[in-house]
C-alpha cells in the first residue's frame, strides 16, 4: 500500500460443479495472474472450490474431503506468493458443515470466516446443508494442515503495511444488520464479499444499488465476486458479477454472462476512506469480543486398517423379526399416499400398465388396497397389458392371471402395429434393436396409458422403483412418467420382499412365479425357446449390489472407496473385487448422468430413509460433474 492505495481484485473463474481438481486449477491460474499484476488481495466467489450449486452433494464425504485437499493444493501453490487470496469452500467444524471463506497467503491460512445468514427460500436452500456462524462457539480448528481460530465475532485482517479488511459472504450483505457493519466499526477499510447470486429481471440493478449503499454506509471499499459460468443452470443462471465500490461509488464492473474467467482489478484509496470516517461524526469505532473455549486434539498415529464389523448385504430389507410389521407399514404408506391423491381429485378410476413383472405387480397390489380403503369398486382399476416385440408368454400370462385374481378391469392392447407404423414414420428399421427401437415401445405404452386415463377420467399409477431411478433405468417420458408413482421410494430388493409378503397372504402361484421371473423390460425379442433374452441385471448389474451402493451413497454420503470396502465384506462369498468395482463404477457413472430424469419426477410417497424426490431428499444439479467419484472408482 503506497499513498494509501491498495490493489484489489474480484475474480470469477469458470467452474465445474463438484469437480474440485478442475476448480482449483482455475483458481490457481487467476491467482498467478493476480500476483503478476501486483494485486494485493483477490476475492473469489462463494464455494468456488466445489461449485456453489452442488446441492445434496454437499452431504457427500468425498466432496468435503476433496475440498479440504483442494485448499491444501492452493496452500502449496501460494507458498512463494505475496497476494492474499480469499476463496470459498465448505468446511466441517465441530461436526457441522459451514459455508466458509478461507483467507490464504504465502502457503498459510490466515483465517476462516463462516457465513452468518443462510437463505432458505426459492432456489436457495442453504440451511439444508450448512449451519450458521451464529450457532458457532469459538474453536481452534485444524484444517488443511493449519490451526485456525474460528468464531462468529468480527475478524479484521491486517496487512504488514496497516491495511485492514474484513470478509462477509453473499446473503450476509442482504441482512438488516450485515456483518460488514461490525467489520467496518472494528476498523476494516475494505469488505470482500464471496457471493453466488442468480440472475433475475431487475435483480442486477437492485444488487448494485444495495452494494453502493452498503459501501457508503460503512465508508469502505467493497469488493464483490459472484459465481458465473460453469455453475449448474438446472433452475437458475449465474451471471458472474464482479463489482468494486469505494464509499458508494462504483469503480469497476465486470462483464456479466462471460464464458471466460475474468479478473476485475482496481485501486482503492484507503487513506481517503479513513479521512472520510474521521470527518463523519456518526461513525464510531467499536469492538466486541467473545470468550473462546479451547479444545486440545491429540494426533493418532495411523496404522494398517482392518474392517472388523459385519456388514448387512441387504440394508433395505427388514430384519426377520420385524418383517411382518415393516412390510405392513411400507404398504400402508404407499396405500395412504395413493388414497389421498384419489380422494383429493374425487377420483374413482386408475390406469396402470401390467407387465407381469415385479414393479407393476406391487403397484397394482397397492392400487387395489387403496381402492378397498376408499370403498371404491375395483373395476375402476383399469389394468392394461400391452404386449410388444419382446413380451413372453410367461409374463403375459402372469399379467392376465394377476388381474383376474384381483378383480380389476382388464384390457389388452398390442403395441406392435402402432410401433411398426411409428418406425416407418421416423425411418427406424425394425431389425435394428437400438435405443430408439426400445424407447419407442416404452413411450407408446405410456401414451396409451395417458390417453386411456384421459378418456376414463382416471389417473395413471406409476410403477418405476427407487433402484431404477438411481440408475436412470427408465425411458424418459416413457415409463419414467405417470400421475402418481407409488413405488418411487421402494428399491428393487425390497419390492421382491414386499411381493413375497403379499404372496404369503394370498397364496397364489402367480405371485410366486412373478417373483421368480428374471427382471427385464422385455423390449428385445425373446430367444428361440420363447424365454426372456434381455435381462436387466446382465446389462446394469445385480440389483442387490446397486441397492447396497444406493443405501450407503445416499443415506450416509460414503465415498466409493468406503462403499467398496463395505461391499467387499458384505458380499465376500458372492462377488469378487473386480465384479464389485465394475458395478460400483457403473453406478457412479449412471447416477450422475441420469439425474435429469430424477429432476422432473412425478409425485410419489417417501417410504424409508432414502428418497430421490427432487422436492425432498435429493436435490442435485443435472449437470454436476462426476469426475471426483469416477477418479476414485478408477483408483479402487
Amino acid at each position: 500500500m503506497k499513498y494509501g492505495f491498495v490493489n484489489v481484485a474480484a475474480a470469477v473463474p469458470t467452474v465445474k460443479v463438484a469437480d474440485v481438481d478442475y476448480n482449483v486449477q482455475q483458481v490457481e491460474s487467476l491467482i498467478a495472474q493476480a500476483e503478476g499484476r501486483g494485486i494485493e488481495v483477490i476475492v473469489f466467489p462463494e464455494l468456488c472450490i466445489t461449485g456453489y450449486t452442488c446441492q445434496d452433494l454437499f452431504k457427500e464425504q468425498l466432496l468435503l474431503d476433496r475440498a479440504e485437499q483442494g485448499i491444501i493444493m492452493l496452500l502449496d501453490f501460494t507458498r512463494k506468493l505475496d497476494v492474499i487470496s480469499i476463496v470459498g469452500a465448505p468446511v466441517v467444524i465441530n461436526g457441522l458443515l459451514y459455508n466458509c471463506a478461507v483467507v490464504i497467503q504465502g502457503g498459510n491460512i490466515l483465517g476462516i470466516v463462516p457465513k452468518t445468514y443462510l437463505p432458505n427460500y426459492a432456489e436457495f436452500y442453504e440451511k439444508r446443508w450448512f449451519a450458521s456462524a451464529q450457532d458457532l462457539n469459538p474453536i481452534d480448528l485444524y484444517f488443511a494442515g493449519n490451526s485456525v481460530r474460528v468464531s462468529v465475532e468480527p475478524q479484521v485482517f491486517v496487512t504488514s503495511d496497516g491495511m485492514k479488511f474484513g470478509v462477509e459472504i453473499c446473503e450476509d450483505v442482504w441482512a438488516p444488520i450485515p456483518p460488514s457493519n461490525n467489520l467496518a466499526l472494528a476498523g476494516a477499510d475494505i469488505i470482500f464479499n464471496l457471493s453466488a447470486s442468480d440472475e433475475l429481471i431487475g435483480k442486477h440493478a437492485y444488487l448494485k444499488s444495495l452494494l453502493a449503499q452498503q459501501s457508503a454506509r460503512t465508508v469502505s471499499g467493497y469488493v464483490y465476486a459472484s459465481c458465473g459460468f460453469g455453475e449448474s443452470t438446472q433452475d437458475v443462471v449465474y451471471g458472474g458479477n464482479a463489482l468494486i465500490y469505494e464509499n458508494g461509488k462504483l469503480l469497476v464492473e465486470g462483464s456479466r454472462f462471460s464464458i471466460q474467467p475474468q479478473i476485475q482489478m482496481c485501486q482503492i484509496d484507503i487513506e481517503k476512506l479513513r479521512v472520510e470516517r474521521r470527518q463523519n461524526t456518526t461513525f464510531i469505532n467499536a469492538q466486541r469480543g467473545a470468550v473462546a473455549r479451547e479444545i486440545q486434539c491429540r494426533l493418532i498415529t495411523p496404522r494398517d486398517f482392518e474392517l472388523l464389523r459385519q456388514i448387512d448385504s441387504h440394508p433395505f430389507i427388514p430384519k426377520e423379526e420385524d418383517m411382518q410389521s415393516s412390510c405392513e407399514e411400507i404398504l400402508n404408506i404407499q396405500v395412504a399416499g395413493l388414497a389421498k391423491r384419489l380422494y383429493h381429485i374425487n377420483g374413482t378410476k386408475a390406469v396402470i400398465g401390467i407387465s407381469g413383472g415385479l414393479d407393476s405387480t406391487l403397484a397394482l397390489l397397492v392400487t387395489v388396497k387403496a381402492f378397498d380403503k376408499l370403498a371404491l369398486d375395483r373395476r375402476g382399476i383399469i389394468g392394461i397389458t400391452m404386449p410388444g416385440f419382446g413380451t413372453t408368454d410367461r409374463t403375459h400370462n402372469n399379467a392376465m392371471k394377476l388381474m383376474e385374481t384381483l378383480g380389476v378391469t382388464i384390457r389388452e392392447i398390442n403395441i406392435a402395429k402402432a410401433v411398426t407404423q411409428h418406425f416407418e414414420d421416423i425411418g427406424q428399421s425394425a431389425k435394428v434393436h437400438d435405443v430408439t427401437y426400445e424407447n419407442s415401445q416404452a413411450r407408446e405404452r405410456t401414451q396409451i396409458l395417458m390417453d386411456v386415463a384421459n378418456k376414463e377420467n382416471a389417473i395413471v399409477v406409476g410403477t418405476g422403483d427407487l433402484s431404477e431411478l438411481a440408475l436412470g433405468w427408465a425411458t424418459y417420458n416413457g415409463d419414467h412418467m405417470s400421475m402418481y408413482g407409488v413405488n418411487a421410494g421402494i428399491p428393487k430388493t425390497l419390492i421382491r420382499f414386499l411381493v413375497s409378503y403379499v404372496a404369503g397372504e394370498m397364496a397364489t402361484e402367480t405371485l410366486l412365479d412373478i417373483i421368480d421371473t428374471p427382471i427385464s423390460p422385455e423390449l428385445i425379442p425373446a430367444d428361440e425357446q420363447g424365454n426372456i433374452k434381455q435381462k436387466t441385471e446382465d446389462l446394469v448389474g445385480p440389483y442387490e449390489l446397486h441397492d447396497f451402493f444406493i443405501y450407503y451413497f445416499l443415506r450416509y454420503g460414503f465415498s466409493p472407496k468406503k462403499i467398496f470396502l463395505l461391499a467387499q465384506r458384505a458380499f465376500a462369498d458372492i462377488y469378487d473385487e473386480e465384479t464389485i468395482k465394475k458395478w460400483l463404477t457403473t453406478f457412479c457413472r449412471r447416477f450422475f448422468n441420469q439425474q435429469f430424469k430424477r429432476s422432473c419426477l412425478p409425485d410419489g410417497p417417501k417410504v424409508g430413509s432414502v428418497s430421490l424426490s427432487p422436492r425432498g431428499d435429493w436435490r442435485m444439479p443435472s449437470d454436476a460433474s462426476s469426475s471426483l467419484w469416477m477418479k476414485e472408482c478408477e483408483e479402487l
Side-chain angles (χ1 to χ4, degrees), residues 25-324:
Q25 291 173 6
Q26 299 303 305
V27 169
E28 287 177 348
S29 175
L30 294 177
I31 290 176
Q33 293 180 46
E35 176 79 9
R37 295 170 62 179
I39 292 172
E40 296 167 72
V41 187
I42 181 172
V43 63
F44 290 83
E46 185 176 9
L47 295 170
C48 61
I49 296 301
T50 57
Y52 176 78
T53 51
C54 290
Q55 297 186 36
D56 279 359
L57 293 177
F58 283 123
K59 298 179 181 180
E60 297 294 316
Q61 189 61 45
L62 175 60
L63 183 64
L64 303 182
D65 289 345
R66 192 58 188 148
E68 183 172 358
Q69 293 171 19
I71 295 297
I72 293 174
M73 293 166 61
L74 282 180
L75 293 176
D76 185 66
F77 179 80
T78 62
R79 204 162 298 282
K80 296 182 179 180
L81 305 181
D82 291 326
V83 61
I84 298 172
S85 305
I86 309 172
V87 300
V91 179
V92 176
I93 305 173
N94 258 358
L96 299 178
L97 186 63
Y98 291 82
N99 179 346
C100 292
V102 183
V103 184
I104 296 171
Q105 184 186 39
N108 296 307
I109 296 179
L110 303 181
I112 294 177
V113 181
K115 188 172 182 177
T116 302
Y117 298 102
L118 305 180
N120 197 42
Y121 57 86
E123 62 274 17
F124 302 108
Y125 296 95
E126 285 188 38
K127 288 185 178 180
R128 182 182 176 88
W129 310 292
F130 299 103
S132 167
Q134 293 173 317
D135 304 321
L136 177 64
N137 291 319
I139 184 174
D140 292 315
L141 175 70
Y142 188 77
F143 177 75
N146 284 243
S147 182
V148 188
R149 185 70 169 175
V150 185
S151 64
V152 69
E153 73 266 22
Q155 297 185 60
V156 175
F157 299 86
V158 183
T159 63
S160 57
D161 54 6
M163 189 271 289
K164 300 179 180 181
F165 68 92
V167 177
E168 65 182 1
I169 305 175
C170 196
E171 190 78 8
D172 290 349
V173 74
W174 297 79
I177 304 177
S180 49
N181 286 5
N182 291 326
L183 291 170
L185 291 174
D189 303 299
I190 304 173
I191 307 298
F192 292 89
N193 187 316
L194 306 81
S195 185
S197 183
D198 64 333
E199 298 296 334
L200 300 171
I201 295 175
K203 185 176 181 180
H204 182 63
Y206 186 85
L207 172 66
K208 291 174 66 176
S209 174
L210 173 68
L211 297 182
Q213 291 179 38
Q214 186 62 8
S215 174
R217 182 181 298 110
T218 56
V219 194
S220 66
Y222 202 100
V223 186
Y224 178 94
S226 183
C227 57
F229 188 77
E231 289 287 355
S232 173
T233 56
Q234 179 174 335
D235 289 312
V236 295
V237 171
Y238 296 87
N241 280 295
L243 302 163
I244 302 178
Y245 293 83
E246 182 183 285
N247 195 18
K249 180 181 179 182
L250 178 62
L251 300 181
V252 172
E253 180 177 3
S255 176
R256 283 194 302 157
F257 305 111
S258 172
I259 64 173
Q260 300 298 326
Q262 58 176 313
I263 294 179
Q264 297 300 326
M265 168 192 173
C266 76
Q267 290 183 325
I268 290 180
D269 189 344
I270 299 299
E271 186 174 0
K272 178 181 177 182
L273 290 172
R274 291 176 176 176
V275 170
E276 292 281 4
R277 287 180 175 181
R278 287 195 296 268
Q279 292 178 349
N280 188 331
T281 57
T282 62
F283 193 93
I284 61 173
N285 293 317
Q287 292 181 332
R288 63 185 178 95
V291 178
R293 181 171 64 92
E294 294 185 358
I295 300 176
Q296 300 296 324
C297 297
R298 181 171 62 88
L299 181 65
I300 300 176
T301 304
R303 59 184 179 181
D304 292 338
F305 174 78
E306 180 184 0
L307 183 62
L308 301 177
R309 56 193 297 169
Q310 296 299 314
I311 306 299
D312 184 0
S313 59
H314 297 95
F316 286 112
I317 304 304
K319 300 298 181 286
E320 186 65 35
E321 60 272 18
D322 303 323
M323 183 66 70
Q324 180 173 350

Side-chain angles (χ1 to χ4, degrees), residues 290-365:
V291 178
R293 181 171 64 92
E294 294 185 358
I295 300 176
Q296 300 296 324
C297 297
R298 181 171 62 88
L299 181 65
I300 300 176
T301 304
R303 59 184 179 181
D304 292 338
F305 174 78
E306 180 184 0
L307 183 62
L308 301 177
R309 56 193 297 169
Q310 296 299 314
I311 306 299
D312 184 0
S313 59
H314 297 95
F316 286 112
I317 304 304
K319 300 298 181 286
E320 186 65 35
E321 60 272 18
D322 303 323
M323 183 66 70
Q324 180 173 350
S325 61
S326 295
C327 288
E328 279 294 330
E329 186 171 13
I330 292 167
L331 289 168
N332 284 336
I333 292 172
Q334 291 179 279
V335 170
L338 179 58
K340 162 60 179 176
R341 182 55 52 94
L342 289 167
Y343 179 81
H344 176 71
I345 63 174
N346 294 319
T348 59
K349 291 185 178 181
V351 173
I352 182 169
I354 309 300
S355 67
L358 280 171
D359 290 353
S360 64
T361 295
L362 179 59
L364 180 58
L365 293 171

Side-chain angles (χ1 to χ4, degrees), residues 476-489:
Y476 192 81
N477 207 31
D479 52 315
H480 158 261
M481 192 50 57
S482 68
M483 296 170 184
Y484 194 78
V486 293
N487 292 340

